[in-house]
Amino acid sequence: MRARIVEQYRMPFDQVLHTEEARERLGQVDSDLVVAQLLGPILFTELATPTPLGPVQCARIVDDFLAGYSPA
């Protein structure tokens, strides 16, 4: 059951990260690390604050990730 839940929530990320556009922009990435970097702030906020993040804040997390990411 655990594997099915992980697969369900990871699938959208894997679909995006394995596109040609993602490879051009990010190079070869460690999908596990990227998912952790993107979901970490969202999950922390869900667990630690009374107010969940909205679409604007989630977009900011992605924008900040892309701005700070440089392929090795």
Side-chain angles (χ1 to χ4, degrees):
M1 187 164 142
R2 178 177 181 237
R4 175 69 179 121
I5 290 170
V6 169
E7 178 185 326
Q8 177 181 342
Y9 285 98
R10 268 197 74 120
M11 190 181 342
F13 290 95
D14 288 335
Q15 288 174 339
V16 170
L17 292 172
H18 293 105
T19 64
E20 183 63 32
E21 180 182 355
R23 281 191 293 275
E24 288 173 5
R25 176 135 189 188
L26 302 174
Q28 190 67 21
V29 297
D30 177 347
S31 298
D32 292 336
L33 182 59
V34 171
V35 170
Q37 289 174 324
L38 292 171
L39 285 180
I42 294 168
L43 293 174
F44 176 79
T45 302
E46 290 290 325
L47 294 171
T49 66
T51 307
L53 297 174
V56 171
Q57 292 85 10
C58 290
R60 173 78 186 269
I61 290 169
V62 173
D63 290 342
D64 288 349
F65 168 80
L66 292 172
Y69 188 84
S70 61

